[in-house]
Amino acid sequence: MAHVVTVLAFTGLTGTARAADNVRIGLMLPYSGTFADLGKNITNGFKLAIAEKGGKIAGRDVEFVTLDDESDPAKANENANKLIKRDKVDVLVGTVHSGVALTMARVARSAGIPMIIPNAGADELTGALCAPNIFRTSFSNWQAGYGVGALMAQKHKSAVALAWKYAAGDEQTAGFKEAFEKGGGKVLKHLTLPFPNTEFQPLLTEIASIKPEAAYTFVAGAAQVKLAKDYHAAGLRSRIPLYGAFITEGTLQAQGESAQGLLTVLHYADGLETPRNKSFIESYKKAYGGATPDVFAVQGYDAAQLYLVGLEAVEGDTSKRKEMLKAMENAKLDSPRGPLSFSKSHNPVQDMYIREARGNQNVMVGVAVKQLVDPSPECKMQ
């Protein structure tokens, strides 16, 4: 596993030597394997926010220490401790895989170092594992599912859920069920298959026999492509509309016609028509060779924005952790996604957008829930 120290070019520093006045940021993200593109886009978004500040935070130069977590929970404890104890990072940023993030959070809690989660959705991160030094700039699994359930309750009275049987699938489906039934709907059955199984046909046959008004789903990556195509080929879309949070995220080109018109709910929509998002997209494209930012880049960008708020509040003095964390807790960010603040458990409070798949974009067509707060009932700040 490679461990690389990179320094922003405009600091004028090279190698692994650390100047006494540098702020050292530990990026523990997937840079290989299934989630490599997500890790890259989160990193790009984070670095862009720092670059827009001239490469400095509160007058201090910035140094990045990047570590490939390989999406491997078994290596998470060792990797997080390397960044904290060996590399002496001032903040820990990561990650995508919830299993890795849960271990990182335990290490960060013990060390007391600020940790910002730019993707992993495990409810526990801002639930039972919540702490004054742990923040999330993405979503909780409950939050993503709840937004979809709120939309579906406006349109349907019955539904079936289809999801992978693992933590993310269970948590997102629980959020969906809560919102859908709160809105007067009834979940007729929760169908599951083992992660990462993609043998959907028996479940689609069962959905057809149950005859719900709609179907909710949570699978990820290549499975999204296969499910959308299988669902379309089975002739179910015209009779039983399919919904989800991520079902079309990053896979529209591969899904082709099978995904066109699908409605999803998430905290960011492609081409969101706000001045802030337009300027973000323009800046991102300029910095990264015309590449278009996605929800993962936004989450990384806001992770940096949040850290900027904290460190600027203490004029760059990383030893003033209590004051820095208080400023982060009270932050109100001008995010490309819209107004962004944080709950008592440090989970994002954010609008959940209704998006329609059109071409290769998930275009905003409405708001399912404004400023959705994850209740995080298990959180007991210590």
Side-chain angles (χ1 to χ4, degrees):
M1 178 184 64
H3 181 275
V4 183
V5 177
T6 59
V7 183
L8 285 181
F10 32 72
T11 64
L13 298 175
T14 58
T16 60
R18 180 185 183 186
D21 62 343
N22 280 4
V23 176
R24 184 169 270 201
I25 296 171
L27 296 171
M28 183 169 156
L29 291 159
Y31 294 113
S32 62
T34 302
F35 299 129
D37 284 345
L38 279 63
K40 174 187 173 183
N41 293 348
I42 289 167
T43 300
N44 285 349
F46 194 102
K47 289 186 174 182
L48 178 62
I50 304 299
E52 288 177 345
K53 290 284 188 175
K56 294 179 182 289
I57 302 178
R60 296 176 62 184
D61 287 331
V62 176
E63 188 175 353
F64 292 104
V65 184
T66 60
L67 188 153
D68 183 0
D69 68 22
E70 303 174 71
S71 298
D72 187 349
K75 298 178 181 178
N77 184 72
E78 179 184 357
N79 286 339
N81 274 299
K82 278 181 182 178
L83 286 171
I84 294 170
K85 296 178 179 179
R86 185 187 71 183
D87 298 317
K88 309 295 184 185
V89 298
D90 295 303
V91 61
L92 191 61
V93 180
T95 187
V96 171
H97 190 292
S98 283
V100 178
L102 288 165
T103 297
M104 289 176 68
R106 293 185 179 97
V107 173
R109 278 185 61 163
S110 178
I113 187 173
M115 175 178 169
I116 304 174
I117 304 155
N119 188 75
D123 291 346
E124 192 177 354
L125 290 164
T126 50
L129 278 178
C130 75
N133 59 311
I134 297 174
F135 294 81
R136 174 155 45 200
T137 58
S138 51
F139 58 91
S140 68
N141 285 326
W142 174 92
Q143 197 173 38
Y146 190 95
V148 183
L151 168 64
M152 291 176 66
Q154 297 172 19
K155 296 174 172 289
H156 308 287
K157 292 300 182 184
S158 66
V160 165
L162 187 165
W164 272 334
K165 184 62 181 173
Y166 76 134
D170 290 346
E171 290 174 355
Q172 292 210 19
T173 301
F176 148 71
K177 184 175 186 291
E178 181 180 334
F180 187 62
E181 295 192 341
K182 182 179 178 182
K186 182 173 178 57
V187 178
L188 302 179
K189 194 163 186 179
H190 180 188
L191 303 173
T192 63
L193 70 169
F195 172 82
N197 190 304
T198 59
E199 294 301 318
F200 298 118
Q201 198 56 53
L203 301 181
L204 301 187
T205 300
E206 190 168 355
I207 290 173
S209 68
I210 294 171
K211 297 180 181 177
E213 289 186 21
Y216 162 85
T217 189
F218 173 76
V219 291
Q224 296 173 191
V225 178
K226 188 171 188 300
L227 177 58
K229 288 186 173 183
D230 287 357
Y231 203 87
H232 184 67
L236 291 174
R237 274 196 56 188
S238 60
R239 295 181 285 135
I240 306 170
L242 183 66
Y243 297 83
F246 291 94
I247 187 65
T248 58
E249 191 61 40
T251 51
L252 278 171
Q253 186 169 355
Q255 287 166 325
E257 179 60 28
S258 69
Q260 293 303 296
L262 287 183
L263 294 180
T264 56
V265 176
L266 211 57
H267 51 286
Y268 182 67
D270 295 326
L272 194 62
E273 292 292 323
T274 64
R276 182 69 179 94
N277 189 49
K278 287 179 179 179
S279 67
F280 167 71
I281 293 172
E282 182 180 342
S283 182
Y284 190 96
K285 284 184 173 181
K286 184 176 180 181
Y288 300 111
T292 300
D294 59 10
V295 66
F296 306 106
V298 172
Q299 291 168 175
Y301 185 83
D302 287 337
Q305 286 211 105
L306 179 60
Y307 189 55
L308 283 162
V309 166
L311 208 49
E312 287 173 351
V314 294
E315 298 180 336
D317 186 348
T318 51
S319 69
K320 295 182 177 178
R321 280 188 182 171
K322 186 175 181 180
E323 296 92 333
M324 178 172 60
L325 295 173
K326 188 67 176 176
M328 291 168 68
E329 188 174 78
N330 294 326
K332 296 186 185 301
L333 302 182
D334 184 14
S335 167
R337 75 186 81 178
L340 178 62
S341 58
F342 298 87
S343 69
K344 290 181 180 179
S345 66
H346 299 167
N347 202 63
V349 178
Q350 56 194 344
D351 292 343
M352 303 300 290
Y353 299 107
I354 305 167
R355 300 120 41 92
E356 182 178 349
R358 298 176 184 170
N360 289 331
Q361 287 200 318
N362 291 296
V363 178
M364 176 192 169
V365 293
V367 179
V369 187
K370 288 195 69 67
Q371 296 295 284
L372 180 59
V373 181
D374 183 332
S376 303
E378 294 180 337
C379 176
K380 296 178 181 178
M381 284 289 185
Q382 298 178 357

